Amino acid sequence: MALLEIRDIIKSFVGDPGLYGVSLDLERGCILCLLGPSGCGKTTLLRIVAGLEQADSGRVLFDGRDMSAVPPHQRNFGMMFQEFALFPHKDVFENVAFGLRMQKESAETIARRTADALALVGLEGFAARNVGELSGGERQRVALARSLAPQPRLLMLDEPMGALDRALRERLMVDIRRILKRVGMTSIFVTHDQAEAFAIADVIAVMNQGRVEQVAPPEELYRRPANATVARFLGFHNLLDGLTSNDGIVETSCGSFRTLDEAPASGNKAVLLLRPDAARLPNGSPPEPGDTVLEGILRDRTFLGRNYQIGLETSSGCFLLFELPNEPRPPQPGEKIRLLIRPTGLTLMPGNGK
């Protein structure tokens, strides 16, 4: 039995998508990420789990107990928000100790657990600092320490890095996962950023318009998005409508491709995803079994550091984006190039118009 069970949650708002029959499970010690665009219902679901919103129907069970009649302050769930919500008139120690004082812990317990929480987030020696003197990353760590100090049964983080710059977010993504896994904290992390979700989560639930589109570990989600909606939200561009044939080939307007996926019966509509890592330059080597050859004009080339993103206009008029390794002499815009498309870089999805 999962530690947290979310069952058929429905919540309606006037002029808002709300939630439509959302069900999820969360195992003890696992980090679940709710990933989706703004307005898809992520924060509403989080607030229902916290007890700050009431669902129209459905149940939230924690460790087998129905939480519908349990007030928020009695659930022992922790919350961390994007704005951090630190007290500007209190020093770091008092900010972190706030929840422990609300629990009426002894002075000795407050001192010990506050020190432990600050050490956990790498802020030893910061206890006497004024929060106004801290950087954005340090304030974020104080907020995390404050959330962890009361030792909640479940920690919920709502876009906790949304106010930070990109470089700082990338550094803290790794730190947050390391800290949560070190203490074995069962957590729900809300974000609209797939890079954050991939870096932090054990399991990702992709949400769209109040529904869960797919639940999967990060690697599976990247390699096998369930449908075109999920693929588009993950940033994939090469989505081709096609028809399956008897020999396992998918016919598209950009050519014929063989996939490793089990294809539906011949003549069925499908959507074929060509991931950006599906392509390679021949560099004098012949195609491998199953490879598809694409020829066209390189229209765009963007330097990404370790890779180049290229835009290929095929002879059939398709425009496709791929990533190629940074080579000493990369192809130049305007050149005619030949790419080999690996079947391992292709994913077949239902052609249901989603």
Side-chain angles (χ1 to χ4, degrees), residues 342-353:
R342 307 177 183 90
T344 53
L346 309 181
T347 300
L348 192 63
M349 298 176 291
N352 54 11

Side-chain angles (χ1 to χ4, degrees), residues 21-48:
V22 171
S23 294
L24 289 167
D25 286 339
L26 179 57
E27 302 294 334
R28 189 182 304 274
C30 183
I31 303 172
L32 167 69
C33 178
L34 304 180
L35 174 66
S38 297
C40 72
K42 306 184 299 294
T43 296
T44 298
L45 181 59
L46 200 72
R47 289 175 62 83
I48 288 172

Side-chain angles (χ1 to χ4, degrees), residues 79-212:
M79 288 283 288
M80 181 177 170
F81 302 97
Q82 177 177 333
E83 299 82 7
F84 307 151
L86 299 177
F87 300 112
H89 60 289
K90 296 180 183 288
D91 61 19
V92 168
F93 180 93
E94 289 300 330
N95 269 278
V96 176
F98 177 77
L100 296 170
R101 295 198 190 283
M102 293 297 99
Q103 292 178 342
K104 302 188 185 304
E105 298 287 357
S106 68
E108 179 183 353
T109 299
I110 291 173
R112 174 174 51 80
R113 284 168 56 179
T114 297
D116 289 346
L118 288 173
L120 185 65
V121 300
L123 292 180
E124 304 97 325
F126 278 67
R129 297 261 190 108
N130 187 300
V131 294
E133 300 171 354
L134 304 180
S135 67
E138 290 165 345
R139 289 196 296 272
Q140 194 246 23
R141 290 171 185 270
V142 172
L144 180 57
R146 184 179 63 182
S147 300
L148 292 172
Q151 299 177 348
R153 300 188 297 170
L154 173 71
L155 179 61
M156 294 172 284
L157 305 96
D158 190 5
E159 302 271 8
M161 294 184 285
L164 304 177
D165 64 71
R166 188 66 181 174
L168 184 55
R169 289 209 311 272
E170 290 178 355
R171 187 163 71 249
L172 289 173
M173 285 188 294
V174 178
D175 290 342
I176 285 181
R177 175 172 172 82
R178 175 183 55 80
I179 291 166
L180 295 178
K181 298 307 286 186
R182 180 177 172 184
V183 298
M185 181 59 64
T186 309
S187 310
I188 303 177
F189 188 98
V190 166
T191 184
H192 64 275
D193 187 315
Q194 55 264 37
E196 287 184 15
F198 286 152
I200 293 172
D202 296 312
V203 178
I204 298 172
V206 180
M207 296 185 64
N208 180 55
Q209 296 184 344
R211 294 179 170 86
V212 174

Side-chain angles (χ1 to χ4, degrees), residues 237-248:
H237 297 278
N238 305 328
L239 296 166
L240 308 178
D241 292 326
L243 289 174
T244 59
S245 63
N246 285 325
D247 52 5

Side-chain angles (χ1 to χ4, degrees), residues 15 68 75 96 185-186 190 203 227 242 246 252 261 273 310:
S68 58
R75 299 188 182 195
V96 176
M185 181 59 64
T186 309
V190 166
V203 178
N227 54 49
N246 285 325
T252 78
D261 296 332
L273 165 64
I310 64 164

Side-chain angles (χ1 to χ4, degrees), residues 11-20 38-41 44 208-211:
K11 178 69 175 180
S12 300
F13 299 98
V14 176
D16 190 280
L19 296 171
Y20 302 100
S38 297
C40 72
T44 298
N208 180 55
Q209 296 184 344
R211 294 179 170 86

Side-chain angles (χ1 to χ4, degrees), residues 281-326:
L281 292 167
N283 290 330
S285 62
E288 296 181 359
D291 282 355
T292 299
V293 178
L294 284 182
E295 294 184 344
I297 305 298
L298 192 151
R299 294 301 185 192
D300 299 306
R301 192 189 73 191
T302 304
F303 180 62
L304 301 178
R306 297 176 62 181
N307 296 318
Y308 284 99
Q309 182 184 77
I310 64 164
L312 178 74
E313 183 180 346
T314 70
S315 54
S316 59
C318 295
F319 186 80
L320 303 170
L321 295 177
F322 296 105
E323 291 184 9
L324 299 177
N326 184 353

